Coordinates of all heavy atoms in Angstrom, one line a residue:
M22 N -58.0 -2.0 142.6 CA -58.3 -1.2 141.5 C -57.0 -0.7 140.8 O -56.0 -0.6 141.5 CB -59.1 0.0 142.0 CG -60.4 -0.4 142.6 SD -61.5 1.0 142.8 CE -62.2 1.0 141.2
M23 N -57.1 -0.5 139.5 CA -55.9 0.0 138.8 C -56.5 1.0 137.7 O -57.5 0.7 137.1 CB -55.3 -1.2 138.1 CG -54.1 -0.8 137.2 SD -53.3 -2.2 136.5 CE -54.6 -3.1 135.6
V24 N -55.7 2.1 137.6 CA -56.1 3.1 136.6 C -54.9 3.2 135.6 O -53.8 3.4 136.0 CB -56.3 4.5 137.2 CG1 -56.7 5.5 136.1 CG2 -57.4 4.4 138.3
E25 N -55.3 3.0 134.3 CA -54.3 3.1 133.3 C -54.1 4.5 132.9 O -54.9 5.4 133.2 CB -54.7 2.3 132.0 CG -54.9 0.8 132.2 CD -53.6 0.1 132.2 OE1 -52.6 0.7 131.9 OE2 -53.6 -1.1 132.6
E26 N -53.0 4.9 132.3 CA -52.7 6.2 131.8 C -53.8 6.7 130.9 O -54.1 7.9 130.9 CB -51.3 6.3 131.1 CG -51.0 7.6 130.5 CD -51.1 8.9 131.4 OE1 -50.9 8.7 132.6 OE2 -51.3 10.0 130.8
S27 N -54.4 5.9 130.2 CA -55.5 6.2 129.2 C -56.8 6.6 130.0 O -57.7 7.1 129.4 CB -55.7 5.1 128.3 OG -56.2 3.9 129.0
G28 N -56.8 6.3 131.3 CA -58.0 6.6 132.1 C -58.9 5.3 132.3 O -59.9 5.4 132.9
E29 N -58.5 4.2 131.7 CA -59.2 3.0 131.8 C -59.1 2.5 133.3 O -58.1 2.6 133.9 CB -58.7 1.9 131.0 CG -58.9 2.1 129.5 CD -58.3 1.0 128.7 OE1 -57.0 1.0 128.6 OE2 -59.0 0.2 128.1
L30 N -60.3 2.1 133.8 CA -60.3 1.6 135.2 C -60.5 0.1 135.2 O -61.3 -0.4 134.5 CB -61.5 2.3 136.0 CG -61.7 1.9 137.4 CD1 -60.5 2.3 138.3 CD2 -62.9 2.6 138.0
W31 N -59.7 -0.6 136.1 CA -59.8 -2.1 136.2 C -60.0 -2.4 137.6 O -59.6 -1.7 138.5 CB -58.5 -2.7 135.7 CG -58.2 -2.4 134.2 CD1 -57.7 -1.3 133.7 CD2 -58.5 -3.3 133.2 NE1 -57.6 -1.4 132.3 CE2 -58.1 -2.6 132.0 CE3 -59.1 -4.6 133.1 CZ2 -58.3 -3.2 130.7 CZ3 -59.2 -5.1 131.8 CH2 -58.8 -4.5 130.7
H32 N -60.7 -3.6 137.9 CA -61.0 -4.0 139.2 C -60.7 -5.5 139.3 O -61.0 -6.3 138.4 CB -62.5 -3.8 139.5 CG -62.9 -4.3 140.8 ND1 -63.6 -5.5 140.9 CD2 -62.7 -3.9 142.0 CE1 -63.9 -5.7 142.2 NE2 -63.3 -4.7 142.9
S33 N -60.1 -5.9 140.4 CA -59.8 -7.3 140.6 C -60.1 -7.6 142.1 O -59.3 -7.2 143.0 CB -58.3 -7.7 140.3 OG -58.1 -9.1 140.6
P34 N -61.2 -8.3 142.4 CA -61.6 -8.6 143.8 C -60.4 -9.5 144.4 O -59.8 -10.2 143.7 CB -62.8 -9.4 143.7 CG -63.4 -9.0 142.3 CD -62.3 -8.7 141.4
A35 N -60.2 -9.3 145.7 CA -59.1 -10.0 146.3 C -59.3 -11.5 146.1 O -60.4 -12.1 146.2 CB -59.2 -9.7 147.8
G36 N -58.2 -12.2 145.6 CA -58.3 -13.6 145.4 C -58.8 -14.0 144.0 O -58.8 -15.2 143.7
A37 N -59.3 -13.0 143.2 CA -59.9 -13.4 142.0 C -58.9 -13.8 140.9 O -59.1 -14.6 140.1 CB -60.8 -12.2 141.4
G38 N -57.7 -13.1 141.0 CA -56.7 -13.4 140.0 C -56.8 -12.9 138.6 O -56.1 -13.2 137.7
A39 N -57.9 -12.2 138.4 CA -58.1 -11.6 137.1 C -58.6 -10.2 137.1 O -59.4 -9.9 138.0 CB -59.1 -12.5 136.3
W40 N -58.2 -9.3 136.2 CA -58.6 -8.0 136.2 C -59.8 -7.8 135.3 O -59.8 -8.4 134.2 CB -57.5 -7.0 135.7 CG -56.4 -6.9 136.7 CD1 -55.2 -7.7 136.7 CD2 -56.3 -6.0 137.8 NE1 -54.4 -7.3 137.8 CE2 -55.1 -6.3 138.5 CE3 -57.2 -5.0 138.3 CZ2 -54.7 -5.6 139.6 CZ3 -56.8 -4.3 139.4 CH2 -55.6 -4.6 140.0
R41 N -60.8 -7.1 135.7 CA -62.0 -6.8 134.8 C -62.1 -5.3 134.6 O -62.0 -4.5 135.6 CB -63.2 -7.4 135.5 CG -63.2 -8.9 135.6 CD -64.5 -9.4 136.2 NE -64.7 -9.0 137.5 CZ -64.7 -9.9 138.6 NH1 -64.4 -11.1 138.4 NH2 -64.9 -9.5 139.8
P42 N -62.4 -4.9 133.4 CA -62.6 -3.5 133.1 C -63.9 -3.0 133.8 O -64.9 -3.7 134.0 CB -62.8 -3.4 131.6 CG -63.2 -4.8 131.2 CD -62.7 -5.7 132.2
V43 N -63.9 -1.7 134.2 CA -65.0 -1.0 134.8 C -65.4 0.1 133.9 O -64.5 0.9 133.5 CB -64.6 -0.5 136.2 CG1 -65.8 0.3 136.8 CG2 -64.2 -1.6 137.2
D44 N -66.7 0.1 133.5 CA -67.1 1.2 132.6 C -67.2 2.5 133.4 O -67.8 2.6 134.4 CB -68.5 0.9 132.1 CG -68.5 -0.2 131.0 OD1 -67.5 -0.4 130.3 OD2 -69.5 -1.0 130.9
V45 N -66.5 3.5 132.8 CA -66.5 4.9 133.4 C -66.7 5.9 132.3 O -66.3 5.7 131.2 CB -65.2 5.2 134.2 CG1 -65.1 4.3 135.4 CG2 -64.0 5.1 133.3
D46 N -67.3 7.0 132.6 CA -67.5 8.1 131.7 C -66.1 8.9 131.7 O -65.7 9.3 132.7 CB -68.6 9.0 132.0 CG -70.0 8.4 131.9 OD1 -70.1 7.5 131.0 OD2 -70.9 8.8 132.7
Q47 N -65.6 9.0 130.5 CA -64.3 9.8 130.4 C -64.6 11.3 130.1 O -65.5 11.6 129.4 CB -63.5 9.3 129.1 CG -63.0 7.8 129.3 CD -61.7 7.8 130.1 OE1 -61.1 8.8 130.5 NE2 -61.3 6.6 130.4
D48 N -63.8 12.1 130.8 CA -63.9 13.6 130.5 C -63.5 13.8 129.1 O -62.7 13.1 128.5 CB -63.0 14.4 131.4 CG -63.6 14.4 132.9 OD1 -64.8 14.5 133.0 OD2 -62.7 14.4 133.8
P49 N -64.0 14.9 128.5 CA -63.6 15.2 127.1 C -62.2 15.6 127.1 O -61.6 16.0 128.1 CB -64.5 16.4 126.7 CG -65.0 17.0 128.0 CD -65.0 15.8 129.0
I50 N -61.6 15.7 125.9 CA -60.2 16.1 125.7 C -60.1 17.2 124.7 O -60.9 17.2 123.7 CB -59.4 14.8 125.3 CG1 -57.9 15.1 125.4 CG2 -59.7 14.4 123.9 CD1 -57.0 13.9 125.3
A51 N -59.3 18.2 125.0 CA -59.2 19.3 124.0 C -58.6 18.9 122.7 O -57.8 18.0 122.6 CB -58.3 20.4 124.6
P52 N -59.1 19.5 121.6 CA -58.6 19.1 120.3 C -57.1 19.3 120.2 O -56.5 20.2 120.7 CB -59.3 20.1 119.4 CG -60.5 20.6 120.1 CD -60.1 20.5 121.6
G53 N -56.4 18.3 119.6 CA -55.0 18.4 119.4 C -54.1 17.9 120.5 O -52.9 17.8 120.4
M54 N -54.8 17.5 121.6 CA -54.0 17.0 122.7 C -53.9 15.4 122.6 O -54.8 14.8 122.1 CB -54.6 17.3 124.1 CG -54.6 18.8 124.4 SD -55.1 19.2 126.0 CE -53.5 19.0 126.9
R55 N -52.8 14.9 123.1 CA -52.5 13.5 123.1 C -53.4 12.8 124.1 O -53.6 13.3 125.2 CB -51.0 13.2 123.3 CG -50.6 11.8 123.1 CD -49.2 11.6 123.1 NE -48.5 12.6 123.9 CZ -47.2 12.6 124.2 NH1 -46.5 11.6 123.7 NH2 -46.6 13.6 124.9
E56 N -53.9 11.6 123.7 CA -54.8 10.9 124.6 C -54.0 10.5 125.9 O -52.9 10.1 125.9 CB -55.2 9.6 124.0 CG -56.1 8.7 124.8 CD -57.4 9.3 125.1 OE1 -58.0 9.9 124.1 OE2 -57.9 9.1 126.2
G57 N -54.7 10.7 127.1 CA -54.0 10.4 128.3 C -54.8 11.1 129.5 O -55.5 12.0 129.3
S58 N -54.5 10.6 130.7 CA -55.3 11.1 131.9 C -54.9 12.5 132.1 O -55.7 13.3 132.5 CB -55.0 10.2 133.1 OG -53.6 10.1 133.4
W59 N -53.6 12.9 131.9 CA -53.2 14.3 132.2 C -53.9 15.2 131.2 O -54.4 16.3 131.6 CB -51.7 14.5 132.0 CG -51.2 15.8 132.3 CD1 -50.8 16.2 133.5 CD2 -51.2 17.0 131.5 NE1 -50.5 17.6 133.5 CE2 -50.7 18.1 132.2 CE3 -51.5 17.2 130.1 CZ2 -50.6 19.4 131.7 CZ3 -51.4 18.5 129.6 CH2 -50.9 19.5 130.4
S60 N -54.0 14.9 130.0 CA -54.7 15.7 129.0 C -56.2 15.9 129.3 O -56.7 17.0 129.2 CB -54.6 15.1 127.6 OG -53.3 15.0 127.2
R61 N -56.8 14.8 129.8 CA -58.3 14.9 130.1 C -58.4 15.8 131.4 O -59.3 16.6 131.5 CB -58.8 13.5 130.4 CG -59.0 12.7 129.1 CD -59.7 11.4 129.3 NE -59.8 10.6 128.1 CZ -60.6 10.9 127.1 NH1 -61.4 11.9 127.2 NH2 -60.5 10.2 126.0
G62 N -57.5 15.6 132.4 CA -57.6 16.4 133.6 C -57.4 17.9 133.3 O -58.1 18.8 133.8
F63 N -56.3 18.1 132.4 CA -56.0 19.5 132.1 C -57.2 20.1 131.4 O -57.6 21.3 131.6 CB -54.8 19.5 131.2 CG -54.4 20.9 130.7 CD1 -53.7 21.8 131.5 CD2 -54.9 21.3 129.4 CE1 -53.4 23.0 131.1 CE2 -54.5 22.6 129.0 CZ -53.8 23.5 129.8
T64 N -57.8 19.4 130.4 CA -59.0 19.9 129.7 C -60.1 20.3 130.7 O -60.7 21.4 130.6 CB -59.5 18.9 128.6 OG1 -58.4 18.7 127.7 CG2 -60.7 19.5 127.9
A65 N -60.4 19.4 131.6 CA -61.5 19.6 132.5 C -61.3 20.8 133.4 O -62.1 21.6 133.7 CB -61.8 18.3 133.3
F66 N -60.0 20.9 133.9 CA -59.7 21.9 134.9 C -59.7 23.3 134.1 O -60.1 24.3 134.6 CB -58.4 21.7 135.5 CG -58.1 22.6 136.7 CD1 -59.0 22.8 137.7 CD2 -56.9 23.3 136.7 CE1 -58.7 23.7 138.7 CE2 -56.6 24.2 137.7 CZ -57.5 24.4 138.8
S67 N -59.1 23.3 132.9 CA -59.1 24.5 132.1 C -60.5 25.0 131.9 O -60.8 26.3 132.0 CB -58.4 24.3 130.7 OG -57.1 24.0 130.9
C68 N -61.5 24.1 131.5 CA -62.9 24.5 131.3 C -63.5 25.1 132.6 O -64.2 26.1 132.6 CB -63.7 23.4 130.9 SG -63.3 22.8 129.2
A69 N -63.1 24.5 133.8 CA -63.6 25.0 135.1 C -63.1 26.4 135.4 O -63.8 27.2 135.9 CB -63.3 24.0 136.2
I70 N -61.8 26.7 135.0 CA -61.2 28.0 135.2 C -61.9 29.0 134.3 O -62.2 30.1 134.8 CB -59.7 27.9 134.9 CG1 -59.0 27.1 136.0 CG2 -59.1 29.3 134.9 CD1 -57.5 26.8 135.7
V71 N -62.1 28.7 133.1 CA -62.7 29.6 132.2 C -64.2 29.9 132.7 O -64.6 31.1 132.7 CB -62.8 29.1 130.7 CG1 -63.7 29.9 129.8 CG2 -61.3 29.0 130.2
E72 N -64.9 28.9 133.1 CA -66.2 29.1 133.6 C -66.2 30.0 134.9 O -67.0 31.0 135.0 CB -66.8 27.8 134.0 CG -68.2 27.9 134.5 CD -68.8 26.5 134.9 OE1 -68.7 25.6 134.1 OE2 -69.4 26.4 136.0
A73 N -65.3 29.8 135.8 CA -65.2 30.6 137.0 C -64.9 32.1 136.6 O -65.5 33.0 137.2 CB -64.1 30.1 137.9
L74 N -63.9 32.3 135.7 CA -63.6 33.6 135.3 C -64.8 34.3 134.7 O -65.0 35.5 134.9 CB -62.4 33.6 134.4 CG -61.1 33.2 135.1 CD1 -60.0 33.1 134.1 CD2 -60.7 34.2 136.2
S75 N -65.5 33.6 133.8 CA -66.6 34.2 133.1 C -67.7 34.6 134.0 O -68.5 35.5 133.7 CB -67.1 33.4 132.0 OG -67.7 32.2 132.5
E76 N -67.8 33.9 135.2 CA -68.9 34.2 136.2 C -68.4 35.1 137.3 O -69.1 35.4 138.2 CB -69.3 32.9 136.8 CG -70.0 31.9 135.8 CD -70.4 30.6 136.5 OE1 -70.0 30.3 137.6 OE2 -71.0 29.8 135.7
G77 N -67.1 35.6 137.1 CA -66.6 36.6 138.1 C -66.1 35.9 139.4 O -65.8 36.6 140.3
R78 N -66.0 34.6 139.4 CA -65.5 33.9 140.6 C -64.0 33.9 140.6 O -63.3 33.9 139.6 CB -66.0 32.5 140.7 CG -67.5 32.5 140.9 CD -68.0 31.1 141.1 NE -68.1 30.3 139.9 CZ -67.4 29.2 139.6 NH1 -66.7 28.6 140.5 NH2 -67.6 28.7 138.4
K79 N -63.4 33.9 141.8 CA -61.9 33.8 142.0 C -61.5 32.4 142.4 O -60.3 32.2 142.6 CB -61.5 34.9 143.0 CG -61.7 36.3 142.5 CD -61.2 37.3 143.5 CE -61.4 38.7 143.0 NZ -60.9 39.7 144.0
T80 N -62.4 31.5 142.6 CA -62.0 30.2 143.0 C -62.7 29.1 142.1 O -63.7 29.4 141.5 CB -62.4 29.9 144.5 OG1 -63.8 30.0 144.6 CG2 -61.7 30.8 145.4
V81 N -62.1 27.9 142.1 CA -62.7 26.8 141.4 C -63.0 25.7 142.4 O -62.1 25.3 143.2 CB -61.8 26.2 140.3 CG1 -62.4 25.0 139.7 CG2 -61.5 27.3 139.2
E82 N -64.3 25.3 142.5 CA -64.7 24.4 143.5 C -63.9 23.1 143.4 O -63.7 22.5 142.3 CB -66.2 24.1 143.4 CG -66.7 23.2 144.5 CD -68.2 22.9 144.4 OE1 -68.9 23.6 143.7 OE2 -68.6 21.9 145.0
G83 N -63.3 22.7 144.5 CA -62.6 21.4 144.6 C -61.1 21.5 144.2 O -60.4 20.6 144.2
A84 N -60.7 22.7 143.7 CA -59.3 22.9 143.3 C -58.4 23.1 144.5 O -58.8 23.6 145.5 CB -59.2 24.1 142.3
A85 N -57.2 22.7 144.3 CA -56.2 22.9 145.4 C -55.9 24.4 145.6 O -56.0 25.2 144.7 CB -54.9 22.2 145.0
T86 N -55.6 24.7 146.8 CA -55.3 26.1 147.2 C -53.9 26.2 147.4 O -53.1 25.2 147.5 CB -56.1 26.5 148.5 OG1 -55.6 25.7 149.5 CG2 -57.6 26.3 148.3
F87 N -53.4 27.5 147.6 CA -52.0 27.7 148.0 C -51.7 27.0 149.3 O -50.6 26.4 149.4 CB -51.8 29.2 148.1 CG -50.3 29.5 148.4 CD1 -49.4 29.6 147.4 CD2 -49.9 29.7 149.7 CE1 -48.0 29.9 147.7 CE2 -48.6 30.0 150.0 CZ -47.7 30.1 149.0
E88 N -52.6 27.0 150.2 CA -52.4 26.4 151.5 C -52.3 24.9 151.3 O -51.4 24.2 151.9 CB -53.6 26.6 152.4 CG -53.6 26.0 153.8 CD -52.5 26.6 154.7 OE1 -52.1 27.7 154.5 OE2 -52.2 25.9 155.7
D89 N -53.0 24.3 150.4 CA -52.9 22.8 150.1 C -51.5 22.5 149.6 O -50.8 21.6 150.0 CB -53.9 22.4 149.0 CG -55.3 22.5 149.5 OD1 -55.6 22.3 150.7 OD2 -56.2 22.7 148.6
G90 N -51.0 23.4 148.7 CA -49.6 23.2 148.1 C -48.6 23.3 149.2 O -47.6 22.6 149.2
Y91 N -48.8 24.3 150.1 CA -47.8 24.5 151.2 C -47.7 23.3 152.1 O -46.6 22.8 152.4 CB -48.2 25.8 151.9 CG -47.4 26.0 153.2 CD1 -46.1 26.4 153.1 CD2 -48.0 25.8 154.5 CE1 -45.3 26.6 154.3 CE2 -47.2 26.0 155.6 CZ -45.9 26.4 155.5 OH -45.2 26.6 156.7
R92 N -48.9 22.7 152.4 CA -48.9 21.6 153.3 C -48.3 20.3 152.6 O -47.6 19.5 153.2 CB -50.3 21.3 153.7 CG -50.9 22.3 154.7 CD -52.3 22.0 155.2 NE -52.8 23.0 156.0 CZ -52.5 23.1 157.3 NH1 -51.7 22.2 157.9 NH2 -53.0 24.1 158.1
V93 N -48.5 20.2 151.3 CA -47.9 19.1 150.6 C -46.4 19.2 150.6 O -45.6 18.3 150.8 CB -48.4 19.0 149.1 CG1 -47.6 18.1 148.3 CG2 -49.9 18.5 149.1
Q94 N -45.9 20.5 150.4 CA -44.5 20.7 150.5 C -43.9 20.4 151.8 O -42.8 19.9 151.9 CB -44.2 22.2 150.1 CG -42.7 22.4 149.8 CD -42.1 21.6 148.7 OE1 -42.7 21.6 147.6 NE2 -41.1 20.8 149.0
L95 N -44.6 20.7 152.9 CA -44.1 20.3 154.2 C -43.9 18.8 154.4 O -43.0 18.3 155.0 CB -45.1 20.8 155.3 CG -45.1 22.4 155.5 CD1 -46.2 22.7 156.5 CD2 -43.8 22.9 155.9
V96 N -44.9 18.0 153.8 CA -44.8 16.6 153.9 C -43.6 16.1 153.1 O -42.8 15.2 153.5 CB -46.1 15.9 153.4 CG1 -46.0 14.4 153.2 CG2 -47.3 16.3 154.3
L97 N -43.4 16.7 151.9 CA -42.3 16.3 151.0 C -40.9 16.6 151.7 O -40.0 15.8 151.7 CB -42.4 17.0 149.7 CG -43.5 16.5 148.8 CD1 -43.6 17.4 147.5 CD2 -43.4 15.1 148.4
D98 N -40.9 17.8 152.3 CA -39.6 18.2 153.1 C -39.4 17.2 154.2 O -38.2 16.8 154.4 CB -39.7 19.6 153.6 CG -39.7 20.6 152.5 OD1 -39.3 20.3 151.3 OD2 -40.1 21.8 152.8
A99 N -40.4 16.8 154.9 CA -40.2 15.9 156.1 C -39.8 14.5 155.5 O -39.0 13.8 156.1 CB -41.6 15.8 156.8
A100 N -40.4 14.1 154.4 CA -40.0 12.8 153.8 C -38.5 12.8 153.4 O -37.8 11.8 153.7 CB -40.8 12.5 152.6
R101 N -38.0 13.9 152.8 CA -36.6 14.0 152.5 C -35.7 14.0 153.7 O -34.7 13.3 153.8 CB -36.3 15.3 151.7 CG -36.8 15.2 150.3 CD -36.4 16.5 149.5 NE -37.1 16.6 148.3 CZ -38.2 17.3 148.1 NH1 -38.6 18.0 149.1 NH2 -38.9 17.3 147.0
A102 N -36.1 14.7 154.7 CA -35.4 14.8 156.0 C -35.3 13.4 156.7 O -34.3 13.0 157.2 CB -35.9 15.8 156.9
S103 N -36.4 12.7 156.6 CA -36.5 11.4 157.2 C -35.6 10.4 156.4 O -34.9 9.6 157.0 CB -37.9 10.9 157.1 OG -38.0 9.5 157.6
N104 N -35.6 10.5 155.1 CA -34.7 9.7 154.3 C -33.3 9.9 154.6 O -32.5 9.0 154.7 CB -35.0 9.9 152.8 CG -34.2 9.0 151.9 OD1 -34.3 7.8 152.0 ND2 -33.4 9.6 151.0
E105 N -32.9 11.2 154.8 CA -31.5 11.5 155.0 C -31.1 11.1 156.4 O -29.9 10.6 156.6 CB -31.3 13.1 154.9 CG -31.4 13.5 153.4 CD -31.4 15.0 153.3 OE1 -31.3 15.7 154.3 OE2 -31.6 15.5 152.2
S106 N -32.0 11.2 157.4 CA -31.6 10.9 158.8 C -31.8 9.5 159.2 O -31.3 9.0 160.1 CB -32.3 11.8 159.8 OG -33.7 11.5 159.8
G107 N -32.7 8.8 158.4 CA -33.1 7.4 158.8 C -34.0 7.4 160.0 O -34.2 6.3 160.6
C108 N -34.6 8.5 160.4 CA -35.5 8.6 161.5 C -36.9 9.2 161.1 O -37.0 9.8 160.1 CB -34.9 9.5 162.6 SG -33.3 8.9 163.2
F109 N -37.8 9.0 162.0 CA -39.1 9.6 161.8 C -38.9 11.1 161.9 O -38.1 11.6 162.7 CB -40.1 9.2 162.9 CG -40.6 7.8 162.6 CD1 -40.2 6.7 163.4 CD2 -41.6 7.5 161.6 CE1 -40.6 5.5 163.2 CE2 -42.0 6.2 161.4 CZ -41.6 5.2 162.2
V110 N -39.6 11.9 161.1 CA -39.6 13.4 161.2 C -41.0 13.9 161.3 O -41.9 13.5 160.5 CB -38.9 13.9 159.9 CG1 -39.0 15.5 159.9 CG2 -37.5 13.5 159.8
K111 N -41.2 14.8 162.2 CA -42.6 15.3 162.4 C -42.8 16.4 161.4 O -42.0 17.2 161.1 CB -42.7 16.0 163.8 CG -44.0 16.5 164.1 CD -44.1 17.0 165.6 CE -45.5 17.5 165.9 NZ -45.7 17.9 167.2
V112 N -44.0 16.3 160.8 CA -44.4 17.3 159.8 C -44.8 18.6 160.6 O -45.6 18.5 161.5 CB -45.6 16.9 158.9 CG1 -46.0 18.0 158.0 CG2 -45.2 15.6 158.2
Q113 N -44.2 19.7 160.2 CA -44.4 21.0 160.9 C -45.7 21.5 160.6 O -46.2 21.7 159.6 CB -43.3 22.0 160.6 CG -41.9 21.4 161.1 CD -41.8 21.2 162.6 OE1 -42.4 22.0 163.4 NE2 -41.2 20.1 162.9

């Protein structure tokens, strides 16, 4: 599978040698934003934040948490340390 920056999805079965487009529903994009996957994702997430706030919720279902970000940072730090030392590094 391959995803283009525009959000187009392509599929090539093993050994087929040719990519075929896959029909997918695209999220809407905010007016004035440049076409692209980041713009579509930003628009969708912004709408989810506004909806949560208007309903009095403090979380958005499926959104990353501070804990998620912290754990990702631990992995990135371990990857840097591994690259510098040339050895495996345990993620804390």
Side-chain angles (χ1 to χ4, degrees):
M22 298 192 85
M23 175 176 57
V24 180
E25 297 283 348
E26 172 57 25
S27 64
E29 293 175 288
L30 179 65
W31 297 82
H32 176 257
S33 179
W40 290 95
R41 293 187 291 253
V43 177
D44 287 330
V45 294
D46 292 331
Q47 294 278 354
D48 287 325
I50 193 167
M54 293 190 85
R55 191 171 21 177
E56 180 66 41
S58 59
W59 186 91
S60 300
R61 289 186 185 285
F63 178 82
T64 300
F66 190 53
S67 296
C68 290
I70 290 171
V71 169
E72 180 181 313
L74 291 173
S75 67
E76 294 174 358
R78 292 185 284 122
K79 295 183 180 180
T80 60
V81 174
E82 185 177 341
T86 64
F87 182 83
E88 179 71 18
D89 295 330
Y91 173 71
R92 291 181 182 277
V93 167
Q94 190 60 53
L95 291 177
V96 171
L97 293 172
D98 291 345
R101 283 188 198 96
S103 176
N104 182 58
E105 290 172 5
S106 69
C108 300
F109 287 104
V110 173
K111 184 175 181 176
V112 176
Q113 300 298 322

